[in-house]
Amino acid sequence: MSLTRPAAVIVLAAGEGTRMKSATPKVLHTLCGRSMLGHVVAAAQALEPEKLIVVVGHGKDQVERHLEAIDPTIVRVHQEVQNGTGHAVRMVVEYLDRQGQQLEGTVVVGYGDTPLLTAETLRALVEAHAQSGSAVTVLSAVVPDPTGYGRILRDESGAVVGIVEQKDASAEQRAITEINSGVYAFDGKLLQEAIHRLRTDNAQGEEYLTDVVGILRGDGYGVGAHLVPDHREILGVNDRVQLAEARRIFNERLLTRWMRAGVTVVDPATTWIDVDVTLEPDVVIHPQTQLQGRTRVARGAEVGPNSTLTDTTVGEHATVTYAVCKEAEIGPEASVGPYAYLRPGTRLARKSKIGTYVETKNAEIGEGTKVPHLTYVGDATIGDHTNIGAATVFVNYDGVHKHHTTVGSHCRTGADNMFVAPVTIGDGAYTAAGSIITEDVPPGAMAVARARQRNIEGWVARKRAGTPAHQAAERALAANTLVAGRPAPGTSQKGEDAAAPKPTYSADSGDGSEETTQ
């Protein structure tokens, strides 16, 4: 049996957490992309224990569903009445007794509301316990203010001689700043025997796990302590203020790790990332950016400022600015934003562009294709090197079903188009500005789908007499009659020029140029 692989890790997560003032069980409140309990379970799993046992109580059904989603192999033990930490461990021992199982080896006991405790610290605790040969090793910490904690008592040689609670400590003992975190490594057999000897003759009438330490010490067994390097790791979360502080510390820890790995974080104070985010070297994260879920950002990409990415992949050297992206794939050298919204199912190929005030959903955008501004692309496939004109809407929903639009490669679609799905625009096709496209457009064709303009002369004078519009029109007409040789607006110009067709403008090409068709 490995000395550093625990026989079991027991996580106590049955408490109500009344100070959270929440319908959500305390241990399910989240920080940096995981529940508090999820962080503790992840640290415990890193030790590869033979058994991982979580004691549940308040909000049992919610907590058990959450644990099932994390890892179905986690053993759940129900503490119906929350009667202290020692009682919670006794519920585990009695459960194992009923299963005919023994705790042989090291047993680590921790809490579901200590999300800052790392796997490295737990592993060091287990190793220190194995090397010392103690019956129990306490995880201790030196804290700025030890008020309320049990103090670790050591002799002149540094050996632990006891733990004294605040209420029982002398003035000299209260000055000690090394405290008991409440996290322990036990000899499993001794714990299994001693837990049945707990009493409830205390002010709270509860069974305390700290009393097991006293029982083992009274039986002549050794008690040790392992000092955690950063006292903040053992901080428990009891209210929303402490949750916010824990979130800040955890986020700071994540950002420090990524910056040391070659990521530039311009303003750590306004940058928030989740624990499962992956960043490659030379990524730049600008201020006011949040990276959530399993977002992955590849080498050389820039994200932000003011961007939120959730479960999104960003390719090498892509840029994402002032954007919200969820479950999207942004290809290498692609450009997103400013003020873009990429919804689930969006896939952008290399060097594609999603511009200002563009929203996409279930949309595949081809290589080099541009959707520059003021457009909704939903349930669509767009080929390579196509330009979508401003103010275009992919009309995908008939009120019951969603329908698909396909736009080919090297297309130029006009501004203010509507593509009423299902419809296909062939490769190399053009569509005129202001068109409502309801039928397929063949490759290389020009589609015009709009009514012919008609000017009704004198309509304002007849229908809106006396209004500011009427007065403005009258002034303009009067002024124009004074210009020699210049007809008043609204009058027909005779001759060949009047019959000449006007150009039909296509889409803004996205690079400042315009294309026209006759």
Side-chain angles (χ1 to χ4, degrees):
M1 180 183 300
S2 171
L3 294 178
T4 57
R5 183 187 181 194
V9 175
I10 300 172
V11 179
L12 308 184
E16 184 175 357
T18 55
R19 281 182 278 173
M20 297 297 288
K21 294 181 171 56
S22 175
T24 301
K26 178 174 74 169
V27 296
L28 298 189
H29 283 264
T30 61
L31 65 155
C32 298
R34 285 184 190 156
S35 68
M36 288 197 286
L37 180 56
H39 285 293
V40 175
V41 165
Q45 287 176 323
L47 302 183
E48 299 181 344
E50 295 174 28
K51 296 183 183 68
L52 176 52
I53 303 167
V54 177
V55 180
V56 300
H58 180 72
K60 170 180 175 291
D61 292 342
Q62 287 176 268
V63 175
E64 287 197 336
R65 283 195 298 270
H66 184 62
L67 290 170
E68 179 74 19
I70 294 174
D71 182 354
T73 67
I74 296 172
V75 177
R76 281 95 75 185
V77 173
H78 186 207
Q79 185 188 22
E80 186 171 353
V81 178
Q82 285 76 64
N83 197 31
T85 53
H87 179 262
V89 175
R90 184 159 64 83
M91 294 299 97
V92 173
V93 170
E94 291 179 358
Y95 167 82
L96 294 175
D97 286 341
R98 291 193 298 271
Q99 304 296 315
Q101 300 177 19
Q102 300 295 314
L103 289 173
E104 296 186 7
T106 300
V107 175
V108 176
V109 180
Y111 301 90
D113 62 356
T114 56
L116 299 176
L117 193 58
T118 65
E120 291 75 17
T121 292
L122 288 178
R123 190 175 292 111
L125 171 66
V126 172
E127 291 174 353
H129 176 73
Q131 292 170 6
S132 70
S134 299
V136 55
T137 303
V138 181
L139 185 65
S140 67
V142 174
V143 297
D145 181 7
T147 303
Y149 291 98
R151 309 304 203 275
I152 302 295
L153 304 180
R154 295 180 183 266
D155 63 18
E156 293 180 356
S157 69
V160 175
V161 295
I163 301 172
V164 61
E165 296 301 321
Q166 166 96 14
K167 64 182 183 302
D168 300 322
S170 66
E172 183 181 3
Q173 290 169 335
R174 289 185 182 186
I176 296 170
T177 57
E178 185 181 6
I179 58 94
N180 173 19
S181 71
V183 177
Y184 304 93
F186 287 99
D187 178 284
K189 279 187 174 181
L190 296 177
L191 172 64
Q192 202 160 8
E193 188 277 327
I195 202 74
H196 295 290
R197 296 158 61 187
L198 290 177
R199 300 169 62 89
T200 58
D201 51 351
N202 53 60
Q204 299 298 322
E206 296 182 348
E207 299 176 25
Y208 293 131
L209 192 58
T210 50
D211 291 343
V212 173
V213 178
I215 290 170
L216 294 174
R217 190 171 61 245
D219 290 345
Y221 293 105
V223 174
H226 176 71
L227 187 65
V228 66
D230 182 352
H231 74 273
R232 298 179 302 174
E233 282 196 39
I234 59 95
L235 293 176
V237 173
N238 294 301
D239 59 28
R240 313 266 184 155
V241 175
Q242 293 174 343
L243 178 64
E245 176 65 8
R247 183 179 292 114
R248 183 191 65 77
I249 293 170
F250 206 114
N251 186 68
E252 180 184 86
R253 182 190 295 172
L254 292 170
L255 291 176
T256 298
R257 178 169 64 111
W258 286 118
M259 286 189 285
R260 294 194 189 283
V263 173
T264 295
V265 179
V266 176
D267 184 13
T270 63
T271 302
W272 296 86
I273 68 175
D274 282 354
V275 66
D276 290 322
V277 167
T278 302
L279 307 174
E280 293 185 2
D282 291 323
V283 162
V284 178
I285 308 298
H286 292 284
Q288 300 289 349
T289 292
Q290 299 181 61
L291 304 180
Q292 301 173 342
R294 297 186 178 275
T295 292
R296 301 174 61 88
V297 185
R299 184 181 298 269
E302 294 195 33
V303 180
N306 295 86
S307 297
T308 300
L309 276 58
T310 304
D311 295 323
T312 291
T313 300
V314 182
E316 291 186 358
H317 302 290
T319 59
V320 182
T321 307
Y322 290 91
V324 175
C325 309
K326 184 175 183 180
E327 298 175 28
E329 297 178 18
I330 300 168
E333 302 177 71
S335 170
V336 176
Y339 310 112
Y341 182 20
L342 273 53
R343 292 167 59 191
T346 296
R347 296 193 299 276
L348 309 184
R350 178 182 296 274
K351 293 186 177 181
S352 58
K353 174 183 175 62
I354 298 295
T356 307
Y357 301 116
V358 173
E359 178 180 345
T360 63
K361 188 266 297 179
N362 284 340
E364 186 168 349
I365 313 296
E367 181 172 345
T369 286
K370 299 177 181 179
V371 188
H373 30 223
L374 301 165
T375 292
Y376 172 68
V377 182
D379 296 290
T381 300
I382 305 176
D384 300 335
H385 305 291
T386 283
N387 189 86
I388 303 297
T392 292
V393 177
F394 284 63
V395 185
N396 59 328
Y397 186 46
D398 64 9
V400 179
H401 302 291
K402 300 291 181 69
H403 301 278
H404 197 83
T405 295
T406 300
V407 179
S409 297
H410 297 281
C411 294
R412 297 292 181 267
T413 72
D416 199 24
N417 275 191
M418 290 195 179
F419 298 113
V420 183
V423 69
T424 297
I425 314 300
D427 289 350
Y430 279 53
T431 60
S435 292
I436 300 175
I437 305 299
T438 59
E439 298 179 2
D440 291 352
V441 180
M446 170 66 174
V448 182
R450 60 190 180 199
R452 187 178 183 85
Q453 181 175 323
R454 184 165 61 101
N455 298 333
I456 303 173
E457 302 289 345
W459 186 91
V460 171
R462 294 193 300 275
K463 300 294 186 179
R464 299 291 186 267
T467 63
H470 178 216
Q471 295 165 8
E474 290 296 310
R475 286 193 298 271
L477 289 168
N480 282 331
T481 59
L482 299 177
V483 180
R486 181 177 178 181
T491 61
S492 297
Q493 186 176 9
K494 305 297 184 181
E496 219 172 77
D497 289 345
K502 295 182 179 180
T504 300
Y505 287 91
S506 182
D508 179 349
S509 68
D511 58 5
S513 63
E514 290 185 340
E515 299 197 20
T516 61
T517 57
Q518 296 298 317

